[in-house]
């Protein structure tokens, strides 16, 4: 019965389901992976070079005293920039206090109440335009709004200029986080009798807290290194100051001034301040990434 329909003695050749390593798709995937890795290296190489150079120049000058002392007079080598660290934290605190509530409320409106409306379209358009505005223009705006009104440079004016930079980042990032929450969550709350406002405040907003925290930290990391707007608003101060309505020292402005001063001690302090500022930005960025990983929808 060999060769007949009822003969099961003839072995059946197994079907090779594995993709050949020399197939065109495999070659294409390997080539694209190689190209992606190459361009990833090109992106990371400048960052690694900057980190290495700043660490090489700043670590020898980094001592505990620089966090508690004032800058030295010209010709002397001792001193620090503790006043600039305090000034940086003060201006960032003012910027967060101004930009975070406005940005979060705008994000809630765009995602919960203004979907598809013309107002939401123009708000998003304005935020996108504001994102691309040079930082120096934010400083000029705060100068005309605060410094021109009060007649004095101040930490508050510096915080206003940084808030202008942070606002679109907070709003757009928080909106994207709110939109990631499934619509079924809102429908379930409405089905239980909650109003749209109660749903947005009591259900959607707490669920999106990691996204909102990410938005704020990303905005802070963006604004922390800006020197141009602070030159027009906070100016500088060589002494300890915690007055919001007086000129105050900040790390970006201190780095700018000390890097162009022809004294070795001030130039070394500028490198150390750059290392501290870079560390602050990196820590904030890492915190933002960790918060983003906790988003579970």
């Amino acid at each position: 019965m060999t060769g007949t329909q009822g003969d099961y003695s003839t072995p059946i050749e197994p079907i090779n389901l594995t993709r050949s390593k020399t197939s065109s798709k495999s070659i294409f995937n390997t080539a694209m992976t190689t190209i992606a890795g190459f361009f990833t290296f090109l992106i990371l190489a400048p960052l690694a070079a900057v980190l290495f150079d700043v660490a090489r120049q700043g670590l020898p000058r980094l001592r505990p005293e620089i966090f508690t002392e004032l800058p030295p007079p010209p010709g002397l080598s001792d001193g620090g920039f503790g006043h600039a660290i305090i000034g940086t934290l003060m201006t960032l605190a003012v910027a967060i206090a101004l930009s975070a509530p406005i940005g979060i409320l705008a994000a809630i409106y765009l995602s919960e109440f203004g979907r598809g409306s013309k107002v939401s379209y123009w708000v998003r358009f304005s935020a996108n335009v504001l994102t691309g505005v040079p930082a120096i223009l934010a400083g000029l705006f705060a100068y005309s709004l605060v410094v021109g009104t009060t007649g004095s440079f101040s930490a508050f004016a510096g915080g206003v200029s940084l808030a202008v930079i942070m606002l679109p980042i907070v709003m757009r990032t928080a909106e994207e986080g709110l939109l990631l929450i499934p619509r079924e969550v809102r429908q379930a709350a409405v089905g239980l009798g909650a109003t749209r406002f109660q749903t947005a405040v009591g259900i959607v907003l707490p669920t999106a807290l990691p996204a909102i925290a990410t938005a704020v930290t990303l905005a802070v990391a963006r604004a922390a290194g800006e020197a141009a707007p602070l030159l027009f608003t906070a100016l500088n101060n060589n002494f300890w100051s915690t007055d919001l309505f007086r000129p105050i020292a900040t790390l970006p402005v201190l780095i700018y001034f000390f890097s162009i001063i022809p004294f070795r001690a001030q130039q070394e302090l500028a490198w150390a301040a750059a290392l501290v500022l870079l560390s602050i930005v990196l820590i904030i960025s890492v915190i933002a990434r960790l918060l983003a990983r906790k988003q579970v929808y």
Side-chain angles (χ1 to χ4, degrees):
M1 298 292 293
T2 304
T4 63
Q5 185 175 2
D7 186 9
Y8 298 98
S9 61
T10 304
I12 300 176
E13 293 293 333
I15 300 175
N16 187 11
L17 298 178
T18 59
R19 182 181 297 174
S20 175
K21 293 184 178 180
T22 59
S23 65
S24 59
K25 290 184 178 180
S26 178
I27 294 175
F28 178 78
N29 290 339
T30 303
M32 290 297 101
T33 302
T34 304
I35 293 174
F38 173 72
F39 283 105
T40 302
F41 172 78
L42 290 182
I43 294 174
L44 294 178
L47 175 61
V50 170
L51 292 175
F52 174 78
D53 195 37
V54 173
R56 180 176 61 88
Q57 299 282 356
L59 280 176
R61 190 67 173 82
L62 201 62
R63 301 194 309 269
E65 292 79 11
I66 66 174
F67 299 99
T68 59
E69 296 181 358
L70 293 173
L76 299 180
S77 58
D78 295 331
F81 45 80
H83 67 311
I85 297 176
I86 294 177
T88 300
L89 296 178
M90 289 177 60
T91 54
L92 288 176
V94 172
I96 294 172
L98 294 176
S99 63
I102 299 175
I104 294 170
L105 290 175
I108 293 174
Y109 169 77
L110 294 176
S111 63
E112 303 300 322
F113 304 101
R115 290 190 183 184
S117 64
K118 291 185 178 180
V119 175
S120 63
Y121 169 79
W122 286 110
V123 170
R124 290 191 187 94
F125 178 78
S126 302
N128 292 335
V129 172
L130 190 59
T131 302
V133 170
I136 193 171
L137 295 183
L140 290 174
F141 168 76
Y143 175 85
S144 61
L145 181 66
V146 182
V147 178
T149 303
T150 61
S152 174
F153 299 96
S154 63
F156 179 78
V160 172
S161 64
L162 296 183
V164 174
I165 299 173
M166 293 170 56
L167 179 59
I169 302 175
V170 173
M171 188 186 74
R172 296 295 288 152
T173 309
E175 181 194 1
E176 293 299 326
L178 291 169
L179 291 176
L180 288 176
I181 299 176
R183 185 178 295 272
E184 291 77 10
V185 175
R186 300 173 175 85
Q187 294 175 347
V190 173
L192 293 175
T195 63
R196 293 181 63 185
F197 179 79
Q198 291 173 335
T199 301
V201 176
I203 304 298
V204 177
L205 188 61
T207 307
L209 282 180
I212 294 173
T214 301
V216 175
T217 52
L218 287 175
V220 171
R222 166 68 173 82
E226 292 293 342
L230 296 177
L231 285 170
F232 289 93
T233 52
L235 196 60
N236 195 23
N237 192 344
N238 291 326
F239 304 97
W240 296 101
S241 176
T242 55
D243 191 346
L244 280 177
F245 300 98
R246 295 294 180 184
I248 200 167
T250 55
L251 286 175
V253 175
L254 181 138
I255 294 169
Y256 169 74
F257 282 130
F258 280 12
S259 62
I260 60 177
I261 292 179
F263 296 102
R264 183 64 179 175
Q266 277 71 16
Q267 292 175 359
E268 291 178 352
L269 279 179
W271 281 109
L275 179 60
V276 172
L277 182 60
L278 184 60
S279 301
I280 293 174
V281 173
L282 287 177
I283 291 172
I284 294 174
S285 300
V286 170
I287 293 174
R289 296 299 302 173
L290 293 176
L291 291 174
R293 288 184 179 182
K294 294 182 179 180
Q295 299 177 17
V296 180
Y297 302 125

